[in-house]
Amino acid sequence: MLILGIESSCDETGIALFDTNKGLLAHELYSQIDVHADYGGVVPELASRDHVRKTIPLIKKVMADANIAKDDIDGIAYTSGPGLVGALMVGACIGRSLAFAWDIPAVPVHHMEGHLLAPMLEDDTPAFPFIALLVSGGHTQLVEVKAIGDYQILGESIDDAAGEAFDKTAKLLGLDYPGGPMLAKLAESGTPGVYKFPRPMTDRPGLDFSFSGLKTAAANVIRSEGIILAGSKSTQNEDAPENVEQIKADIAYAFQEAVVDTIAIKCRRAVEQTGIKTLVIAGGVSANTELRNKLAKLMEKHKGQVYYPRHEFCTDNGAMIAYAGAQRLQKYGDRDLLIKARPRWSIEELPAI
Amino acid sequence: MNQLSVELKDESATVLMGNKLSQAVKTGAIIYLHGDLGAGKTTFTRGVIQGLGHKGNVKSPTYTLVEPYELNSVNAYHFDLYRLGDPEELEFMGIRDYFELNSLCLIEWPERGAGILPEADLDITLEYVDAGRVINLVANNPKGLSILALLEQQI
């Protein structure tokens, strides 16, 4: 079964062709970096959300790359939610209409299910059941995955996502937004132990996260050290300490350490609570080296194993949507012509396959 | 009185203040939220939305731009325009549909949508003062004034 996948829930347009026998045939991603190259300069972020202009050309490109004709395609999977409704509508309308025109089924896919199943696109795949940690700019969730479609949310962020806390703290430190990866880089020259930030919500039972307070704790330290907060009117502070760069690096170190520790504590609890020793990590923050090291050590201690999707499938992409859609279409086709876009949608509502 | 200032000593005070405001905006309003990163805009909004009966979390809408809530008395929309490159982008996300009659719109970083966003009934600013915060509410029109009057009865 050959499936065309369309992802358009946020800033990226991702298109892919997945074959249940042959695996991934082709995939394309349209990101802001490409826009800048196309237009020869900086364009408003508007362009990155402009799925309308990019979806069809990318579909043509993956079909040409994989040497696939429309008659070869057995179904279309599109991201139906959760996400920004305007962005979702583009993928949903194109996916549903194209399937109607080609007389094949279309299947609405849950964005987070796509992320959970992304490691299945690799050669070495985790066996069910596993625990999935989803950490990105938009999400922080721990999910127990018993089988495809059988999900239970063990914990999630009650406010800011982990990646968002990284980006916003980076902004407070004067790094360009989104600066999560730059903050991690800055932390490399930080001194351990100079600052100590809280590990939010680890002093009580449960697997929920909260990162908003950590960002505020960082803001308070930055202020008390006399560093001008980004976004303030004055750019020069005559009283600024001389070793300001080292202070920033030390803050970055302490911040990253607090986020990584907090996530690791919750993962350890999830492993102990469920007895499941397989951990899958996806989302943009899963590229963080400190987090990977910490979780690798944790799972080693528990005689378990950690799985990651390859780097390009950690963030939003069409391949994971095509894969997830294929699993559902193998079971049941969706021929009704309703275009489905759901900005709010809990993964626990999904039917098991 | 067209403005009101209250000291908030900690996070729970910010949430409680949001709870109180919620009782004054049950039939909808347009509210701008100002303040630096970490000042408590989302925390305050959590107080408002949970005060209107929402049981779940109130997550930051920074990445999604808007989080919708279907509440008993009103449809609430929590915006964060931080990532907006140009106010015109609001037209591309169908901004007009959100400002229907009787919806409650809480908008963080409204200056990024200047010129396209409708005028606010209420401007709310959260400022750092030592480890706590000060919230300042300013009414811009008769609707804003009546919200402030209702709020004053609560505090």
Side-chain angles (χ1 to χ4, degrees):
Chain A
M1 184 182 258
L2 178 60
I3 304 294
L4 173 70
I6 302 173
E7 154 67 28
S8 72
S9 66
C10 197
D11 294 344
E12 270 91 27
T13 316
I15 306 292
L17 280 166
F18 176 81
D19 186 303
T20 47
N21 295 318
K22 297 177 198 154
L24 190 65
L25 301 184
H27 68 99
E28 281 292 325
L29 190 77
Y30 164 74
S31 74
Q32 218 181 326
I33 297 156
D34 299 301
V35 186
H36 288 212
D38 282 356
Y39 288 78
V42 178
V43 292
E45 199 181 341
L46 147 73
S48 73
R49 262 177 238 124
D50 201 356
H51 302 292
V52 173
R53 280 188 299 177
K54 284 296 164 183
T55 304
I56 299 287
L58 287 183
I59 291 173
K60 285 182 176 164
K61 179 150 194 328
V62 293
M63 287 172 68
D65 287 354
N67 197 21
I68 292 294
K70 64 178 166 49
D71 293 341
D72 301 328
I73 298 174
D74 300 303
I76 297 180
Y78 63 86
T79 304
S80 176
L84 187 61
V85 69
L88 290 167
M89 279 303 282
V90 177
C93 288
I94 292 175
R96 183 56 269 184
S97 319
L98 204 53
F100 179 62
W102 289 352
D103 195 23
I104 52 176
V107 61
V109 172
H110 193 289
H111 180 75
M112 305 304 273
E113 178 173 54
H115 275 304
L116 291 184
L117 300 180
M120 298 298 182
L121 291 160
E122 306 306 327
D123 292 334
D124 181 19
T125 59
F128 297 105
F130 57 78
I131 292 169
L133 169 72
L134 251 40
V135 271
S136 67
H139 307 278
T140 305
Q141 271 185 345
L142 269 168
V143 184
E144 182 178 343
V145 181
K146 295 192 188 85
I148 293 177
D150 190 352
Y151 310 121
Q152 188 188 351
I153 295 173
L154 300 172
E156 62 185 331
S157 175
I158 61 163
D159 41 50
D160 293 6
E164 178 180 358
F166 260 97
D167 287 341
K168 287 187 173 172
T169 303
K171 179 78 185 170
L172 289 169
L173 288 167
L175 305 171
D176 284 340
Y177 189 88
M182 280 188 277
L183 185 147
K185 182 86 190 142
L186 184 61
E188 286 173 15
S189 47
T191 316
V194 178
Y195 300 102
K196 182 87 177 168
F197 288 128
R199 272 61 172 159
M201 298 183 78
T202 55
D203 58 348
R204 66 197 92 168
L207 296 171
D208 281 341
F209 302 87
S210 165
F211 291 110
S212 173
L214 200 47
K215 167 190 73 191
T216 305
N220 287 338
V221 169
I222 291 167
R223 297 168 72 88
S224 68
E225 290 291 353
I227 300 168
I228 287 289
L229 278 177
S232 299
K233 286 194 182 70
S234 55
T235 52
Q236 289 293 319
N237 182 357
E238 285 164 12
D239 301 326
E242 280 177 22
N243 57 340
V244 61
E245 286 312 309
Q246 186 58 44
I247 292 175
K248 284 183 178 178
D250 295 345
I251 293 172
Y253 183 95
F255 173 82
Q256 174 171 265
E257 183 188 42
V259 174
V260 167
D261 268 3
T262 303
I263 292 173
I265 290 167
K266 299 289 179 174
C267 286
R268 190 195 73 218
R269 282 186 192 173
V271 167
E272 288 170 357
Q273 185 178 310
T274 60
I276 295 170
K277 295 191 189 302
T278 306
L279 182 65
V280 163
I281 304 169
V285 182
S286 68
N288 182 283
T289 310
E290 288 304 311
L291 181 66
R292 287 196 172 202
N293 291 344
K294 188 99 183 174
L295 294 177
K297 265 186 218 154
L298 171 77
M299 293 316 288
E300 198 181 323
K301 211 169 133 191
H302 282 82
K303 300 191 169 46
Q305 208 178 338
V306 189
Y307 291 85
Y308 307 91
R310 76 188 81 161
H311 196 272
E312 60 200 317
F313 296 156
C314 277
T315 47
D316 291 353
N317 64 86
M320 64 184 196
I321 301 304
Y323 178 86
Q327 309 314 308
R328 294 201 168 271
L329 267 183
Q330 284 184 84
K331 185 80 179 185
Y332 45 84
D334 186 351
R335 291 215 170 237
D336 82 54
L337 292 178
L338 202 61
I339 293 167
K340 293 164 187 162
R342 299 180 62 177
R344 261 183 193 289
W345 187 10
S346 171
I347 197 167
E348 292 182 337
E349 291 173 31
L350 289 173
I353 293 181
Chain B
M1 217 169 61
N2 76 333
Q3 76 166 12
L4 183 65
S5 269
V6 182
E7 274 182 45
L8 306 168
K9 69 175 167 56
D10 56 19
E11 187 181 332
S12 60
T14 305
V15 173
L16 188 63
M17 187 67 191
N19 284 164
K20 287 175 178 167
L21 181 73
S22 72
Q23 299 311 303
V25 293
K26 281 178 169 175
T27 54
I30 297 171
I31 298 171
Y32 289 180
L33 293 162
H34 309 273
D36 287 340
L37 277 177
K41 299 182 294 296
T42 297
T43 302
F44 177 78
T45 302
R46 186 166 89 221
V48 177
I49 289 175
Q50 291 181 340
L52 288 168
H54 176 69
K55 294 282 180 255
N57 299 330
V58 173
K59 291 182 197 170
S60 161
T62 303
Y63 276 77
T64 51
L65 294 178
V66 55
E67 289 282 332
Y69 298 89
E70 282 180 29
L71 306 168
N72 290 333
S73 61
V74 70
N75 281 334
Y77 302 103
H78 180 198
F79 292 87
D80 184 341
L81 307 186
Y82 190 77
R83 300 194 315 132
L84 219 58
D86 187 296
E88 207 179 298
E89 285 184 65
L90 289 171
E91 294 287 7
F92 289 82
M93 62 180 276
I95 191 75
R96 288 159 201 252
D97 296 342
Y98 293 99
F99 294 94
E100 64 203 36
L101 209 60
N102 299 336
S103 68
L104 172 61
C105 293
L106 295 135
I107 306 159
E108 301 187 28
W109 302 97
E111 55 277 13
R112 310 230 169 168
I116 304 271
L117 283 180
E119 194 184 302
D121 301 313
L122 209 57
D123 270 293
I124 296 181
T125 307
L126 283 148
E127 274 180 304
Y128 283 87
V129 175
D130 301 323
R133 307 283 187 272
V134 166
I135 187 169
N136 189 42
L137 305 98
V138 179
N140 296 325
N141 55 28
K143 187 169 180 178
L145 284 170
S146 69
I147 293 169
L148 274 194
L150 279 169
L151 179 64
E152 281 191 285
Q153 292 169 17
Q154 307 255 339
I155 55 178

